[in-house]
Amino acid sequence: MVRLVKALWRGYTRMFSGWTRIALAALLGVVLGVGGFTVYYSGVTGYLGDDPATCANCHAMDEQYEAWQRGSHHDVATCNSCHAPHDNLVYKYINKADNGFWHSLKFTFQNYPENIQIREHNREITEAACLYCHGDFVDQATNSSTHKDETVSCIRCHDGVGHMR
Amino acid sequence: MSTEREDAAMEDPKVDAPDPDDAGAKGDGKKKSRSGSSRKLVPALVLVTVAVAAGALTWLLTTIFEHKQESAASFTEVVELTDTSYDPAVWGQNFPIQYEQYRKTIEDTDGDFIAVTPTDEDPREYHTISRIESETRAQRMWRGYAFAVDYTEPRGHEWALVDQRYTERTGERFNQPGTCLNCHASMPEVYDELGDGDREAGFHAMNAMSYDEAYEHASSSIACIDCHDPQTMELTITRPAFIDGIRKAKAAEGVKDYDVNRDATNQEMRTYVCAQCHVEYYFAGDSKTLTFPWDKGLTVYDAMDYYDEVGWTDFTHEESGAELLKAQHPDFETWSQGIHATNGVTCADCHMAYSRVGANKVSNHQIMSPMVSDETINASCLTCHHSTAGEMRERVDGIQTRWQGSLNVSFTALDALITDITAADADGSATEEDLATARDYQRKAQFVIDYSFSENGRGFHAPAYSISILNQATDWARSGQLALRGVDVENGIGPAIPEQHMPDAGN
């Protein structure tokens, strides 16, 4: 694999000589530079972390962020506590990447509804997050429903514990 | 950055195009067999690809920059607005977003426009569908009154003035007063002109005119200045009839000396500015003063009691001879009996839901039904109802279908009563006393049915209340039929065993 890449690169670079080479290199450098700056300027690196302020980088999440600051879970949970999976780190970042991709796409093109709505698999992640902390306490409620293949939804009633919408 | 890869992929077919045998081959050995021309092509392709990628990146960078700027959006005062800034286009210079939305009320959001051939009498190219053609029993109950001639579905504010001007109801034969204009044109300018700066005086002067004469003074349909203070943009009441009406309604609730512009909260104003017009009304006395029948309260029965007390009648029915009332779009009064009013949800919350413009929220000035599309349902209902647009649509549809069913039952009963009174009057099969009783029942039943039918929410603004008053109307209409047959009926008698609504632990 490495050899193949090396061979390709050699073949490719041999095609150019003199000024063309320099010009193309310069152009590529411009693209990489602009790209690098765009990444930095969009604050995208912050999304690798857990700081809720990052989630309000775009004003799309202003309401949720402000409501979380006034919410009952403010001192014990960040955005990721409820909106990122707890089962393993790899899945957490896959999920963050998935949501990040859609969020930035929709925000860039301003193509999202007035009241944003959670997608089904993300709702399930949130429901699981409730149980991650409160599972022992609500054992009876969840057990009595799971053996009947039902799931009691926490946020159907306990709506707005994280942030009133 | 994925853009580069994607662009390169998009260019791929072009790379292969000159030499199909080469397709997909990327080995080093193959490279040597490339023709000179395709070798020359590679730098050009790389150049194009890289240039496109650079362009896309720069675009992305600028959009991010723009979105960051939006968060610091500002208001620019282009013109100074005063109490005599009547023209909405001038306001539009300061508030372009709201103005643009406001002009959109000309659009057919309900899908009920129909193209018609313009004539000299009526130059309009579009009407809305006729309500008296789709509900012929409504036409019958209005026989002897202008509404039996022409009555169409409502549409946006932008049409308010033209539609009133060209409806047959304001034609010569009906000789309408200037009072009609109160709700179909921008009033501050007209009031100022006719009252020489005294708007109250202008209001009375206009009411005393003929409709045609008053119309000459109107320059615009409903506009910014009808609801907003030009200096502060605060919501404000400009209609004397509402100031007077709401004072009386509040007095009935025990609130003395209520001055709406002084005492109402901003949230209440988000309903009250609409309630200046979307209400039941009548033209009192020879002065034709626009008056809201709220002295006893805001229910349909309160209005009926008021009319009976002042001895008001709108028209005599052509067939049955009953002395009747005409009800008109009591949207505000009906809403006030419903669950949304109880929860402090105003007209504007649903009909002018916030729309996202940059990082700002703007009350959508394209006032319309929240049920127009999934987007409008989302913006209106889903702000409080954490549900889906589809579920909301089903719920509203259910409420309105049930109301439609009740309305149908009521109409059937009223129509039968009109037939029976007319027949009994003709063949003398009922005593004068029984005829009078039956006609009074028609007055009662018809007012309630008309009230609910003319209301724009189709039962939604107060579902239980709407069904309940129609239930009462049906009973009244059938009681009228029984009266003609000499049967005495007692209405409104409570149950033999009083219902215990709430558990009472003796607290």
Side-chain angles (χ1 to χ4, degrees):
Chain A
M1 184 71 200
V2 178
R3 270 173 51 203
L4 178 73
V5 171
K6 272 186 176 165
L8 274 173
W9 177 248
R10 261 204 309 278
Y12 178 68
T13 45
R14 278 195 203 122
M15 278 196 243
F16 312 113
S17 57
W19 285 110
T20 357
R21 232 167 147 166
I22 293 166
L24 281 173
L27 255 180
L28 275 169
V30 167
V31 170
L32 284 174
V34 174
F37 178 74
T38 306
V39 167
Y40 156 77
Y41 184 71
S42 70
V44 77
T45 44
Y47 290 101
L48 298 169
D50 277 336
D51 181 3
T54 310
C55 299
N57 265 354
C58 305
H59 49 70
M61 288 287 179
D62 280 356
E63 276 173 71
Q64 286 74 13
Y65 179 63
E66 285 169 24
W68 165 77
Q69 287 179 312
R70 295 191 304 271
S72 60
H73 278 56
H74 175 248
D75 294 332
V76 290
T78 62
C79 309
N80 282 340
S81 313
C82 304
H83 289 290
H86 287 274
D87 21 7
N88 71 64
L89 207 63
V90 177
Y91 181 41
K92 172 178 172 172
Y93 279 94
I94 288 174
N95 183 259
K96 275 162 80 75
D98 167 57
N99 284 317
F101 169 75
W102 288 109
H103 285 187
S104 40
L105 187 77
K106 283 176 180 287
F107 186 75
T108 299
F109 291 100
Q110 289 290 294
N111 169 32
Y112 60 101
E114 208 57 52
N115 289 299
I116 56 176
Q117 291 190 272
I118 197 165
R119 286 182 292 159
E120 193 49 42
H121 77 274
N122 283 321
R123 179 190 298 281
E124 283 160 16
I125 286 168
T126 301
E127 292 281 2
C130 300
L131 297 180
Y132 181 78
C133 294
H134 299 282
D136 289 349
F137 186 69
V138 295
D139 199 32
Q140 285 193 341
T142 46
N143 268 344
S144 63
S145 66
T146 41
H147 80 261
K148 282 186 278 185
D149 285 336
E150 297 167 358
T151 327
V152 171
S153 164
C154 309
I155 54 177
R156 171 88 199 168
C157 303
H158 299 280
D159 181 14
V161 289
H163 51 85
M164 289 303 288
R165 282 199 303 163
Chain B
M1 301 308 295
S2 61
T3 33
E4 277 179 79
R5 272 202 308 278
E6 276 163 17
D7 286 333
M10 272 161 51
E11 299 287 347
D12 252 346
K14 290 184 190 163
V15 175
D16 300 331
D19 195 351
D21 296 345
D22 237 18
K26 291 268 193 262
D28 201 10
K30 288 261 180 198
K31 281 244 161 73
K32 284 170 187 160
S33 68
R34 271 185 189 260
S35 61
S37 66
S38 86
R39 255 181 170 238
K40 279 182 191 146
L41 212 60
V42 173
L45 281 176
V46 171
L47 184 109
V48 169
T49 310
V50 170
V52 167
L57 269 175
T58 314
W59 174 81
L60 181 64
L61 186 61
T62 49
T63 60
I64 296 173
F65 175 74
E66 279 167 12
H67 286 316
K68 285 196 180 207
Q69 290 304 299
E70 281 174 355
S71 301
S74 60
F75 159 69
T76 315
E77 187 177 31
V78 181
V79 287
E80 194 193 350
L81 298 169
T82 69
D83 284 341
T84 55
S85 305
Y86 305 120
D87 182 0
V90 174
W91 292 55
Q93 292 176 39
N94 284 357
F95 302 97
I97 295 161
Q98 285 87 346
Y99 179 69
E100 199 177 310
Q101 292 173 329
Y102 151 83
R103 292 304 306 272
K104 279 189 178 171
T105 59
I106 203 162
E107 289 176 5
D108 177 11
T109 50
D110 289 356
D112 56 5
F113 282 28
I114 38 171
V116 286
T117 315
T119 62
D120 289 346
E121 262 106 62
D122 184 354
R124 292 175 298 173
E125 292 177 351
Y126 292 95
H127 290 192
T128 45
I129 53 179
S130 165
R131 287 197 86 191
I132 45 178
E133 278 170 28
S134 43
E135 179 47 271
T136 52
R137 294 169 300 184
Q139 182 172 30
R140 189 181 184 202
M141 74 173 174
W142 292 325
R143 288 215 177 125
Y145 202 56
F147 276 82
V149 174
D150 179 21
Y151 179 51
T152 53
E153 291 283 355
R155 53 179 169 174
H157 279 184
E158 198 67 7
W159 295 99
L161 188 54
V162 249
D163 277 354
Q164 185 183 52
R165 180 74 191 84
Y166 296 112
T167 174
E168 289 178 53
R169 296 201 303 279
T170 54
E172 240 168 83
R173 61 179 155 156
F174 294 116
N175 191 22
Q176 300 286 11
T179 319
C180 300
L181 213 56
N182 273 295
C183 281
H184 283 261
S186 183
M187 274 299 110
E189 182 177 18
V190 183
Y191 292 160
D192 281 349
E193 207 173 287
L194 297 176
D196 218 5
D198 177 352
R199 289 185 182 175
E200 180 84 22
F203 164 70
H204 291 295
M206 189 183 78
N207 294 339
M209 289 179 170
S210 73
Y211 175 77
D212 288 352
E213 193 186 345
Y215 176 81
E216 293 306 315
H217 295 276
S219 64
S220 158
S221 189
I222 326 294
C224 318
I225 199 168
D226 290 279
C227 301
H228 288 284
D229 180 297
Q231 276 89 35
T232 64
M233 287 305 131
E234 296 254 316
L235 291 173
T236 183
I237 302 296
T238 54
R239 301 298 199 273
F242 182 78
I243 294 171
D244 181 58
I246 196 72
R247 180 186 289 118
K248 287 171 177 165
K250 290 285 182 184
E253 291 169 20
V255 182
K256 289 189 176 66
D257 184 37
Y258 187 81
D259 176 344
V260 65
N261 280 323
R262 183 194 65 202
D263 299 335
T265 63
N266 185 56
Q267 187 68 354
E268 286 172 326
M269 276 293 196
R270 286 162 56 82
T271 290
Y272 289 165
V273 289
C274 311
Q276 297 183 92
C277 291
H278 286 255
V279 294
E280 156 64 8
Y281 63 85
Y282 79 115
F283 300 167
D286 292 338
S287 58
K288 300 284 179 192
T289 309
L290 179 65
T291 309
F292 302 163
W294 297 348
D295 298 45
K296 295 171 181 295
L298 291 175
T299 71
V300 63
Y301 307 127
D302 292 333
M304 206 182 324
D305 289 348
Y306 170 85
Y307 286 135
D308 285 345
E309 199 167 282
V310 299
W312 180 258
T313 287
D314 280 296
F315 70 106
T316 303
H317 199 270
E318 206 171 78
E319 294 174 36
S320 73
E323 298 197 324
L324 300 170
L325 299 163
K326 173 73 188 82
Q328 339 247 4
H329 48 68
D331 305 340
F332 162 67
E333 299 95 316
T334 305
W335 161 89
S336 71
Q337 304 303 311
I339 190 92
H340 286 99
T342 310
N343 282 282
V345 181
T346 65
C347 307
D349 287 319
C350 305
H351 293 281
M352 301 178 71
Y354 286 116
S355 59
R356 191 180 56 244
V357 180
N360 288 338
K361 286 184 148 212
V362 176
S363 268
N364 188 349
H365 280 59
Q366 186 187 2
I367 304 165
M368 61 175 141
S369 163
M371 306 311 291
V372 164
S373 66
D374 281 3
E375 286 74 28
T376 57
I377 294 175
N378 176 296
S380 294
C381 316
L382 301 195
T383 303
C384 303
H385 295 274
H386 300 169
S387 172
T388 62
E391 199 179 305
M392 286 294 113
R393 195 187 293 279
E394 270 174 38
R395 203 185 287 186
V396 175
D397 193 49
I399 288 168
Q400 294 184 330
T401 304
R402 284 191 286 275
W403 170 82
Q404 194 76 48
S406 294
L407 180 78
N408 183 43
V409 171
S410 298
F411 260 132
T412 306
L414 177 68
D415 207 54
L417 175 62
I418 295 172
T419 302
D420 283 4
I421 297 175
T422 311
D425 192 25
D427 64 16
S429 59
T431 65
E432 275 308 314
E433 197 188 342
D434 289 344
L435 267 174
T437 309
R439 284 180 177 134
D440 188 57
Y441 273 126
Q442 187 192 336
R443 175 182 164 99
K444 283 193 174 82
Q446 178 161 332
F447 180 65
V448 174
I449 292 167
D450 193 352
Y451 193 93
S452 206
F453 178 68
S454 304
E455 203 267 334
N456 286 303
R458 295 189 183 86
F460 179 81
H461 287 146
Y465 168 79
S466 297
I467 301 278
S468 137
I469 62 174
L470 287 173
N471 196 17
Q472 181 63 70
T474 302
D475 184 45
W476 277 332
R478 296 300 185 193
S479 299
Q481 286 181 283
L482 288 168
L484 291 172
R485 290 153 178 84
V487 181
D488 271 342
V489 180
E490 288 183 324
N491 303 94
I493 304 299
I497 303 163
E499 179 64 31
Q500 226 181 312
H501 296 287
M502 292 283 170
D504 182 4
N507 302 330

